[in-house]
Amino acid sequence: MDIEFDFIFRAVGWEGFWNVAKQGSKLLTLGILCTLQITNTGVKFRLFGKEFSSLWKDLSLLLGFNS
């Protein structure tokens, strides 16, 4: 799976996103990405057995993208 994520992140120009040096962040990222579901209004994912969701606008702001 690591190889596939490396390829995907390279394809979209997010190489630096994947290489986070903090312990545990890679496993958390994999947990989120493996349960990620795209909806018409945003995204949903599960982490530690709890479901989270975010609207596209809110996700854009959280990731620091300009509007």
Side-chain angles (χ1 to χ4, degrees):
M1 189 179 276
D2 289 349
I3 294 168
E4 292 155 344
F5 282 129
D6 286 339
F7 175 75
I8 292 167
F9 287 141
R10 239 189 334 272
V12 297
W14 286 8
E15 297 91 354
F17 176 80
W18 182 248
N19 294 323
V20 178
K22 295 183 181 178
Q23 285 291 345
S25 60
K26 186 173 183 177
L27 291 176
L28 290 174
T29 302
L30 286 173
I32 292 169
L33 293 176
C34 287
T35 61
L36 186 67
Q37 294 178 350
I38 297 172
T39 67
N40 289 335
T41 58
V43 295
K44 297 188 310 186
F45 61 91
R46 295 186 65 78
L47 188 60
F48 301 120
K50 184 175 179 184
E51 187 168 301
F52 296 88
S53 63
S54 178
L55 299 173
W56 288 119
K57 180 181 177 183
D58 296 335
L59 183 63
S60 178
L61 291 173
L62 288 170
L63 293 173
F65 297 133
N66 294 331
S67 53

